[in-house]
Amino acid sequence: MLADVPCTGDGAVRKLPIKWEKWTTSDGLGIHSLQIQLLLRALSLCKVGGQVLYSTCSINPVEDEAVVCEVMRRVNDGSLELIDVHQKMKGFKGRKGLTKWPVL
């Protein structure tokens, strides 16, 4: 299941340079709780043994790592497993997620 949630879109700035004109550090904070709710809903709809891919077009860790981290904290019953996508999709280009991030 793919959970492609609404986001600030700051990762699409190369395609939409106008994004930087209105960008603020609080943008990600404003949508953070909605993203958590949507990921939790996707997980509730996923069958046992299924997979949910959480996706945004943001590079803000508040919208990415912090959402996944909070959901993992809330669902701490052992029913979730975080999978490294690099092991599942050979040739996938990307970087490992952050483990610390500032909240401005």
Side-chain angles (χ1 to χ4, degrees):
M1 174 182 295
L2 174 62
D4 188 13
V5 302
C7 66
T8 59
D10 58 12
V13 73
R14 69 179 169 76
K15 293 189 289 185
L16 303 165
I18 198 161
K19 287 261 183 208
W20 283 126
E21 291 178 19
K22 297 180 181 179
W23 183 87
T24 68
T25 56
S26 64
D27 289 349
L29 292 173
I31 202 163
H32 178 77
S33 63
L34 174 62
Q35 292 167 326
I36 290 170
Q37 290 171 1
L38 291 171
L39 180 52
L40 286 169
R41 179 67 174 150
L43 291 167
S44 75
L45 295 172
C46 188
K47 67 181 180 179
V48 174
Q51 295 181 357
V52 174
L53 174 65
Y54 176 75
S55 170
T56 72
C57 55
S58 173
I59 56 174
N60 185 344
V62 170
E63 296 183 72
D64 297 328
E65 288 92 340
V67 171
V68 173
C69 185
E70 177 59 16
V71 167
M72 296 293 285
R73 186 191 68 76
R74 288 187 190 185
V75 184
N76 61 2
D77 61 1
S79 64
L80 297 181
E81 177 185 2
L82 190 59
I83 298 172
D84 183 353
V85 71
H86 297 91
Q87 294 173 3
K88 293 291 236 180
M89 302 171 68
K90 300 296 180 198
F92 180 78
K93 294 181 181 181
R95 295 185 180 165
K96 299 228 183 232
L98 301 175
T99 57
K100 297 178 186 174
W101 50 87
V103 178
L104 304 175

